[in-house]
């Protein structure tokens, strides 16, 4: 059973541009975003609720585009 938790995953506000807003339990500038605690499903925890951007860390422009895409999805 999936419990709905009324937590905001991102605290981005387009009226106040800032480059390091919250993404789950992490910040936008972090290379691993952790969403543990936002979804209460028994079989989803740990690495299954993390997005790891280390695969593209050597390409900073691509990294930023991918992070913004993930933020908007």
């Amino acid at each position: 059973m999936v419990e709905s938790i009324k937590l905001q995953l991102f605290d981005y506000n387009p009226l106040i541009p800032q480059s390091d807003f919250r993404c789950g339990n992490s910040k936008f500038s972090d290379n691993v975003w952790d969403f543990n605690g936002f979804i209460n499903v028994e079989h989803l925890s740990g690495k299954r609720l993390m997005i790891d951007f280390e695969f593209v860390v050597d390409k900073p422009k691509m990294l930023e585009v991918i992070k913004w895409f993930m933020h908007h999805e």
Side-chain angles (χ1 to χ4, degrees):
M1 182 175 169
V2 177
E3 283 186 33
S4 177
I5 299 175
K6 298 289 184 191
L7 296 175
Q8 188 178 3
L9 292 177
F10 300 95
D11 64 359
Y12 175 71
N13 181 352
L15 301 176
I16 307 170
Q18 56 184 358
S19 61
D20 205 23
F21 54 90
R22 188 175 52 79
C23 299
N25 296 320
S26 307
K27 293 286 187 177
F28 186 83
S29 63
D30 296 340
N31 288 333
V32 177
W33 290 355
D34 179 11
F35 295 99
N36 282 289
F38 288 90
I39 299 174
N40 191 14
V41 179
E42 190 174 312
H43 67 279
L44 291 177
S45 64
K47 287 284 194 181
R48 292 181 178 180
L49 291 176
M50 292 182 177
I51 301 174
D52 189 349
F53 298 104
E54 293 294 327
F55 70 96
V56 72
V57 75
D58 59 328
K59 299 178 181 175
K61 290 181 182 178
M62 185 182 288
L63 175 64
E64 186 172 358
V65 169
I66 292 170
K67 284 182 173 183
W68 279 109
F69 176 80
M70 294 305 296
H71 167 263
H72 289 289
E73 289 300 308

